[in-house]
Amino acid sequence: MARFAAVPEAHASLASARQVYAPGTHLFHQGDIERGIHKIVSGTVTVYRVTADGHRQIEAFSGPGEYVSLCLCATSPTSAEALSRVETDYVSREAFERCLLQDAQFRQTVFREIDKASADARRQATLLACRCAKERVADFVLFLDSRFAPKADGYTPIRMSRCDIADHLGLTIETVSRMLNQFKQIGVIDMPRADRFRLRNRQYLNRLAGQNDEADSRPHGLAL
Amino acid sequence: MARFAAVPEAHASLASARQVYAPGTHLFHQGDIERGIHKIVSGTVTVYRVTADGHRQIEAFSGPGEYVSLCLCATSPTSAEALSRVETDYVSREAFERCLLQDAQFRQTVFREIDKASADARRQATLLACRCAKERVADFVLFLDSRFAPKADGYTPIRMSRCDIADHLGLTIETVSRMLNQFKQIGVIDMPRADRFRLRNRQYLNRLAGQNDEADSRPHGLAL
DNA sequence: CGTACTCTTGAACAATATCAAATAAAGTGG
DNA sequence: CCACTTTATTTGATATTGTTCAAGAGTACG
């Protein structure tokens, strides 16, 4: 968990500063103006928005290597909260825009990242539009399995609360809990505690989630 | 179905060709490789994907001035079908990529369009995650009202079928029909036929749809 | 230990889907 | 232009899914 600083930056013209956030603290808030860009070095960040009627929608659980809510509009459409201790490389808005103009390689990276964010959002929309509760939770379990390395005990940690999961999948905490425990019941996952699990039947979940979608997205060597 | 050539282009380096599609024909299909870029000149295009289990999700109803399913991956994640007679300016993949490298202004435009597509997808995900059937349909009616000019008789045409609407909103045709007729019943819309309507109480729909979200997105003069 | 959470579980309820007609609109061939 | 067929939409009845409400069971923390 502990990380050491070091490693300046790939892009010479991009002056970034390492920042550290304690669990539960915010990297930025919805509506912040001229906010800069965070790239996660370690830890997990919850990216969410709150709608006018008070619903919280979690758009993503972002991890190391990912940009947090990367978009062109300077005013943040989302809030970002550290789920664990989080380190980021932070670039001010000004430096970000300057670099976007000057550094072709950086521009390309950002371009692709935004494209990826767009694809992710569409994938999420499809999940919400076409899949039932069990399928959504199956998809989420597979996401956790692929993104979070198992700990020493062999179990993958579930760092977010049931409420976080529910707000991400468009369900209630009760439904999320029921589906997870149903998977546990039938032996698809091994979940000795609410905050960790291990896959026992990946194929079953794959079949539910329909892992086949979005098989394309070849990045192709566009130099920009 | 028939095609005519003609009409050069705003960007000198971007050689586009005018294309025409008859209602019901496809501009391209999901999985097409190295597909080029369409910008709609006139008409309406349905952008959709079909999931592994056969569900169709309509991602967008795009109109004049919009790019159709603009993204960086060369292999199309979606299909696009003309809902009416459609004219587009088409650019081959090759020309598109060349232009992206050479023309800074074009690059900026594409950059912003992809960012916008991303924001739209997130908005759709929020709609699907947080709103009930009535609210989704209210939102859709407002969308129709804002995007499709009323005809000579003062009524806004509903060009898509109930099935198209359902597949866009993650509902069934019966539910869409019921909600629309409920709005008609209580005098919120005037819908003499299934394929046209007129708003009678916009405020009611605004309140349902929560039109307040996404009030930001100031484009700000980034030159790229 | 005891207090405060979060998670789980059960039961009743509500929203939406599904199934089944009925109606309306749009084509089609005479 | 008129019957007839076909398709889309509306409406009703019922089933299902997921939510809501209400306890109960773990777990964390002082």
Side-chain angles (χ1 to χ4, degrees):
Chain A
M1 202 177 290
R3 297 281 156 95
F4 308 95
V7 189
E9 201 26 50
H11 302 281
S13 55
L14 191 61
S16 76
R18 183 63 52 90
Q19 301 209 327
V20 179
Y21 297 88
T25 60
H26 276 78
L27 283 68
F28 52 82
H29 293 87
Q30 198 166 338
D32 279 0
I33 59 173
E34 294 296 332
R35 109 182 130 83
I37 304 298
H38 289 277
K39 185 176 188 175
I40 302 174
V41 174
S42 70
T44 306
V45 174
T46 300
V47 181
Y48 69 92
R49 77 178 60 202
V50 176
T51 64
D53 60 337
H55 285 266
R56 180 181 69 148
Q57 152 122 52
I58 292 184
E59 292 191 350
F61 296 104
S62 302
E66 294 184 292
Y67 287 91
V68 182
S69 191
L70 185 59
C71 68
L72 294 182
C73 65
T75 302
S76 180
T78 60
S79 300
E81 180 182 340
L83 202 55
S84 59
R85 180 174 183 276
V86 166
E87 290 175 298
T88 69
D89 280 329
Y90 178 78
V91 180
S92 72
R93 189 79 206 171
E94 189 192 282
F96 172 72
E97 298 196 350
R98 192 172 353 99
C99 205
L100 221 43
L101 287 166
Q102 294 168 354
D103 184 335
Q105 209 209 319
F106 178 69
R107 187 164 59 227
Q108 180 186 353
T109 302
V110 170
F111 212 149
R112 285 199 184 148
E113 285 295 324
I114 288 183
D115 190 52
K116 188 157 77 66
S118 179
D120 286 348
R122 281 193 295 268
R123 185 185 185 285
Q124 184 68 4
T126 301
L127 183 86
L128 294 166
C130 302
R131 331 291 287 178
C132 68
K134 193 189 285 194
E135 294 169 332
R136 294 183 206 182
V137 175
D139 187 87
F140 188 73
V141 169
L142 290 171
F143 160 78
L144 287 180
D145 180 70
S146 67
R147 285 289 173 77
F148 295 91
K151 289 196 159 169
D153 61 1
Y155 287 97
T156 302
I158 304 175
R159 299 183 195 285
M160 59 292 288
S161 68
R162 295 292 184 268
C163 186
D164 289 340
I165 300 173
D167 286 349
H168 182 53
L169 299 180
L171 300 169
T172 59
I173 54 174
E174 292 93 337
T175 300
V176 170
S177 178
R178 270 185 253 271
M179 295 305 143
L180 284 174
N181 285 290
Q182 202 171 303
F183 290 151
K184 177 183 174 179
Q185 210 65 207
I186 62 178
V188 168
I189 59 173
D190 168 19
M191 185 171 62
R193 290 166 36 133
D195 67 349
R196 63 197 59 168
F197 77 102
R198 191 155 52 170
L199 283 192
R200 297 190 67 74
N201 188 344
R202 180 192 301 271
Q203 198 190 357
Y204 179 93
L205 294 176
N206 270 336
R207 221 174 310 133
L208 267 182
Q211 83 297 5
N212 1 33
D213 304 345
E214 209 72 30
D216 40 53
S217 83
R218 168 170 67 94
H220 76 77
L222 213 170
L224 287 182
Chain B
M1 207 176 292
R3 309 263 154 111
F4 310 93
V7 189
E9 211 9 57
H11 301 280
S13 55
L14 191 64
S16 77
R18 183 64 53 91
Q19 301 207 329
V20 179
Y21 298 88
T25 60
H26 276 77
L27 283 67
F28 52 82
H29 293 86
Q30 198 167 338
D32 279 0
I33 58 173
E34 296 295 333
R35 108 183 130 82
I37 304 299
H38 289 277
K39 185 175 187 176
I40 302 174
V41 174
S42 70
T44 306
V45 174
T46 300
V47 181
Y48 68 94
R49 76 178 60 202
V50 176
T51 65
D53 61 335
H55 285 266
R56 180 181 68 150
Q57 153 121 53
I58 293 184
E59 292 191 349
F61 297 103
S62 301
E66 295 184 289
Y67 286 92
V68 182
S69 191
L70 185 59
C71 67
L72 294 183
C73 66
T75 302
S76 179
T78 60
S79 300
E81 181 181 341
L83 203 56
S84 60
R85 179 174 183 278
V86 166
E87 290 176 297
T88 69
D89 279 330
Y90 178 78
V91 181
S92 72
R93 190 78 207 173
E94 188 192 286
F96 173 71
E97 298 196 351
R98 190 172 355 100
C99 206
L100 221 42
L101 287 165
Q102 296 169 353
D103 185 334
Q105 208 209 318
F106 178 69
R107 187 164 59 227
Q108 180 185 355
T109 302
V110 171
F111 213 151
R112 286 201 182 146
E113 285 295 324
I114 288 182
D115 190 54
K116 188 157 76 67
S118 180
D120 286 347
R122 282 193 294 268
R123 185 185 185 282
Q124 184 68 4
T126 301
L127 183 85
L128 294 166
C130 303
R131 331 289 290 178
C132 68
K134 194 190 283 194
E135 292 169 334
R136 294 184 206 180
V137 175
D139 186 87
F140 187 73
V141 169
L142 290 171
F143 160 77
L144 287 179
D145 180 69
S146 68
R147 284 289 173 78
F148 295 92
K151 289 196 157 167
D153 61 3
Y155 287 97
T156 302
I158 304 175
R159 298 183 195 285
M160 58 291 289
S161 68
R162 295 292 184 267
C163 186
D164 290 339
I165 300 173
D167 287 349
H168 182 54
L169 299 179
L171 300 169
T172 60
I173 54 173
E174 292 93 336
T175 300
V176 170
S177 179
R178 268 184 253 272
M179 294 306 144
L180 284 173
N181 285 290
Q182 200 170 305
F183 290 150
K184 177 182 173 179
Q185 211 66 206
I186 62 178
V188 168
I189 60 172
D190 167 21
M191 184 171 63
R193 291 166 35 135
D195 67 349
R196 64 198 57 169
F197 78 101
R198 193 158 47 172
L199 284 192
R200 295 190 69 74
N201 188 345
R202 178 191 303 270
Q203 198 190 357
Y204 180 94
L205 294 176
N206 270 336
R207 222 174 310 134
L208 267 182
Q211 82 298 359
N212 2 31
D213 304 343
E214 209 72 31
D216 40 55
S217 84
R218 167 169 68 95
H220 76 78
L222 211 170
L224 285 183

